[in-house]
């Protein structure tokens, strides 16, 4: 997709009769409302069709790059915000009214921008139920927005080997077929994790030799099945505690730390071309957990075990972010061991209810981590853990928290989305 750069942007600083609230629309073709923002805000032109009140103190350069758009951001936005229950109706209206352009043409193409700046992809986690939602799928299908997908659950052990040596791939295969059809590379997630294991495995009481063969069989089966389709596997997931010690799991408790070597070796043998990652959360703040992974990579390499990437999940909290320099230094610590790094499960949650101040902070926080990845050449890509708050895992796991993703539950881009766009373009919010 062609990305048109706006050299000049209309900016109207708020006056005494300010009327439009922060983050609300203040201009654009077909927009008929007030064009003056509340005090402290300025009316910022995202494209010909959509101007929004953003903090006047923002350091965003007015010359920031935006994707060109020629469709109906203003009309679709107002339609969308009008009613929750009419979502599907408004979407079909929107779709049918934009016969000459993609329905998502007003949304900056994150993947295309990331690639144009030297990254491999900008991606999104997906689950089977989301593919059944035609409304959600419109943006999900967009290969310019998302060029990579990670299955949220369907490649995990409980989904793929529900009873011993019986492998079920139909759900995962459907996700793979869809991803390939919509121009997305695939991250396999995940071969070995202490959670979402079938009970035959956790309660089996297997001795070391038997569990080693079960582990090898599982890894070999999955990697072989998806060979040529999965680009990189999360071979192990969340194997360390916060203090860098080994996490208790059926694998560690029975086999010892060599379960990691065994899994990586089996994966490499099954597909010599696939990328092999260790993935974890809370790698954003530095400290013992980062050191544990740096040491792990060095140990694996010293034993001749192939590992190509550290995945930093980055499930983060609005206003509690690591600094830009901490993020960059963590990524560089991984890269120094000879592996790539990727941001694999990004979301930045807030304590509900949503406020303008939290949305503004969330924009800055997304912007910070995206800029950090952009600053490290071997930070190869970024993946959000679903794109809309409607499908976020956060509210079900963190009581009273949510709104963690760049689109709201009506699929309207939030300030965070524009923070990502700016971050990809190296612009500080
Ligand atoms: C589909 O997704 C939209 C927005 O994410 C949501 O409003 C709608 O309720 C979903 N539909 C179903 C059937 O889940
Ligand atoms: C289990 O077996 C593996 C493979 O032979 C070995 O590397 C590991 O040390 C053994 N673990 C224990 C606890 O004996
Ligand atoms: C609903 C509406 O007013 N649509 C108009 C939006 O702007 C275009 C281009 O100026 C017009 O052609 C539409 O009629």
């Amino acid at each position: 997709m062609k990305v048109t750069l706006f050299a000049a942007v209309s900016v109207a600083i708020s006056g005494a009769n300010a009327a439009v609230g922060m983050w609300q629309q203040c201009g654009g073709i077909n927009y008929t409302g007030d064009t003056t923002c509340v005090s402290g805000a300025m009316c910022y032109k995202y494209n010909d069709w959509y101007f929004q009140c953003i903090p006047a103190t923002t350091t965003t350069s007015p010359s920031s790059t935006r994707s060109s758009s020629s469709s109906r951001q203003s009309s679709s936005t107002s339609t969308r915000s009008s009613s929750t229950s009419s979502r599907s109706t408004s979407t079909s209206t929107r779709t049918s009214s934009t016969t000459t352009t993609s329905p998502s043409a007003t949304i900056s193409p994150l993947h295309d921008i990331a690639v144009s700046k030297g990254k491999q992809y900008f991606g999104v986690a997906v689950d089977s139920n989301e593919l059944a939602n035609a409304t959600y799928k419109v943006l999900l299908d967009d290969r310019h927005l998302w060029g990579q997908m990670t299955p949220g659950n369907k490649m995990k052990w409980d989904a793929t080997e529900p009873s011993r040596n019986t492998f079920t791939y139909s759900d995962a295969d459907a996700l793979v077929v869809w991803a390939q059809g919509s121009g997305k590379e695939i991250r396999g997630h995940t071969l070995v994790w202490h959670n979402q294991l079938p009970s035959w495995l956790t309660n089996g009481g297997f001795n070391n030799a038997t569990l080693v063969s079960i582990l090898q069989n599982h890894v070999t089966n999955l990697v072989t099945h998806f060979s040529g389709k999965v680009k990189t596997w999360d071979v192990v997931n969340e194997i360390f505690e916060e203090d860098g010690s080994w996490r208790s799991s059926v694998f560690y408790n029975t086999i010892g730390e060599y379960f990691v070597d065994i899994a990586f070796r089996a994966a490499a043998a099954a597909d010599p071309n696939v990328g092999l990652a260790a993935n974890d959360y809370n790698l954003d703040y530095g400290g013992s957990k980062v050191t544990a992974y740096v040491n792990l990579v060095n140990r694996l390499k010293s034993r001749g075990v192939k590992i190509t990437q550290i995945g930093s999940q980055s499930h983060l909290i609005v206003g509690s972010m690591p600094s830009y320099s901490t993020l960059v230094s963590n990524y560089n610590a991984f890269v120094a061991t000879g592996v790539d790094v990727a941001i694999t499960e990004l979301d930045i949650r807030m304590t509900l209810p949503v406020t303008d101040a939290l949305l503004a902070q969330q924009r800055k926080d997304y912007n910070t981590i995206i800029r950090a990845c952009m600053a490290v050449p071997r930070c190869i890509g970024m993946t959000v853990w679903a794109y809309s708050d409607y499908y976020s895992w956060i509210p079900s796991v963190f009581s009273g928290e949510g709104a963690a993703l760049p689109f709201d539950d009506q699929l309207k881009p939030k300030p965070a989305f524009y923070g990502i766009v700016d971050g990809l373009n190296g612009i500080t919010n």
Side-chain angles (χ1 to χ4, degrees):
M1 174 184 267
K2 182 165 167 292
V3 178
T4 302
L5 309 184
F6 278 89
V9 171
S10 305
V11 174
I13 302 296
S14 64
N17 298 323
V20 184
M22 191 72 80
W23 307 118
Q24 303 302 306
Q25 185 173 5
C26 54
I29 296 171
N30 286 359
Y31 174 77
T32 56
D34 287 311
T35 56
T36 309
C37 296
V38 291
S39 178
M42 65 181 188
C43 188
Y44 183 79
K45 176 180 175 179
Y46 282 97
N47 56 54
D48 289 344
W49 295 79
Y50 192 69
F51 298 32
Q52 190 184 48
C53 295
I54 66 172
T57 52
T58 183
T59 55
T60 302
S61 159
S63 64
S64 81
T65 56
R66 301 290 173 190
S67 73
S68 170
S69 65
S70 56
S71 79
R72 342 191 123 253
Q73 179 68 47
S74 58
S75 58
S76 65
T77 298
S78 55
T79 307
R80 258 183 276 146
S81 57
S82 62
S83 150
T84 307
S85 59
S86 68
R87 173 66 197 152
S88 59
T89 309
S90 67
T91 297
S92 55
T93 302
R94 182 165 66 112
T95 304
S96 62
S97 67
T98 54
T99 48
T100 56
T101 58
S102 152
S104 59
T106 56
I107 307 294
S108 300
L110 300 183
H111 172 67
D112 287 359
I113 298 172
V115 169
S116 77
K117 301 290 181 181
K119 299 303 172 190
Q120 293 182 13
Y121 59 81
F122 198 102
V124 60
V126 182
D127 225 324
S128 306
N129 57 321
E130 298 163 15
L131 290 189
N133 185 330
T135 305
Y136 186 77
K137 202 162 162 289
V138 173
L139 287 182
L140 197 59
D141 279 340
D142 191 329
R143 66 188 63 220
H144 306 288
L145 193 47
W146 324 108
Q148 180 271 347
M149 88 97 181
T150 306
N153 289 294
K154 299 303 185 184
M155 289 185 184
K156 289 172 180 172
W157 202 309
D158 59 353
T160 51
E161 194 183 358
S163 54
R164 189 173 169 185
N165 203 33
T166 299
F167 290 88
T168 52
Y169 293 122
S170 51
D171 287 346
D173 284 346
L175 283 165
V176 166
V177 166
W178 164 78
Q180 291 182 321
S182 66
K184 295 168 182 39
E185 71 168 65
I186 299 157
R187 185 184 190 89
H189 178 80
T190 172
L191 296 172
V192 186
W193 188 32
H194 64 281
N195 266 333
Q196 292 181 242
L197 294 171
S199 59
W200 69 262
L201 177 54
T202 44
N203 300 332
F206 300 111
N207 66 22
N208 187 33
T210 306
L211 191 60
V212 166
S213 80
I214 286 169
L215 178 60
Q216 290 171 325
N217 187 50
H218 183 80
V219 170
T220 302
N221 244 283
L222 268 77
V223 175
T224 302
H225 181 81
F226 294 107
S227 176
K229 297 171 180 165
V230 163
K231 178 88 178 288
T232 298
W233 272 103
D234 285 325
V235 178
V236 295
N237 195 39
E238 303 177 356
I239 58 175
F240 290 124
E241 300 281 3
E242 298 309 298
D243 66 358
S245 62
W246 287 92
R247 180 190 292 279
S248 171
S249 70
V250 66
F251 306 108
Y252 178 73
N253 298 347
T254 307
I255 303 174
E257 76 163 271
Y258 289 105
F259 82 91
V260 175
D261 297 51
I262 291 165
F264 274 90
R265 285 188 197 279
D271 183 354
N273 299 316
V274 78
L276 303 173
N279 191 52
D280 212 327
Y281 60 89
N282 284 353
L283 301 183
D284 315 274
Y285 300 90
S288 305
K289 211 169 181 180
V290 166
T291 304
Y293 278 97
V294 167
N295 292 341
L296 176 75
V297 175
N298 288 332
R299 282 203 305 282
L300 290 174
K301 285 181 178 282
S302 76
R303 299 197 286 251
V305 179
K306 178 181 168 186
I307 175 169
T308 65
Q309 188 194 98
I310 295 294
S312 179
Q313 294 181 5
S314 297
H315 294 294
L316 295 166
I317 302 171
V318 168
S320 302
M321 289 285 288
S323 69
Y324 169 84
S325 59
T326 297
L327 290 163
V328 169
S329 115
N330 293 336
Y331 301 156
N332 280 329
F334 297 136
V335 168
T337 66
V339 295
D340 293 329
V341 58
I343 297 171
T344 54
E345 306 185 12
L346 179 61
D347 52 27
I348 310 183
R349 63 188 184 267
M350 62 180 69
T351 300
L352 301 174
V354 173
T355 65
D356 287 348
L358 285 167
L359 290 175
Q361 185 62 48
Q362 187 181 47
R363 175 181 183 149
K364 288 181 190 290
D365 293 345
Y366 266 98
N367 180 260
T368 297
I369 190 167
I370 298 299
R371 278 189 297 115
C373 183
M374 299 310 287
V376 176
R378 289 191 73 176
C379 184
I380 56 143
M382 297 137 276
T383 305
V384 286
W385 206 242
Y387 78 81
S388 154
D389 293 335
Y390 186 80
Y391 282 118
S392 174
W393 68 301
I394 296 291
S396 64
V397 174
F398 299 94
S399 179
E401 299 179 67
L405 290 166
F407 289 74
D408 69 16
D409 57 12
Q410 298 299 303
L411 307 184
K412 182 181 172 187
K414 293 157 64 179
F417 179 81
Y418 301 104
I420 293 173
V421 175
D422 279 347
L424 292 172
N425 285 308
I427 296 164
T428 303
N429 284 173

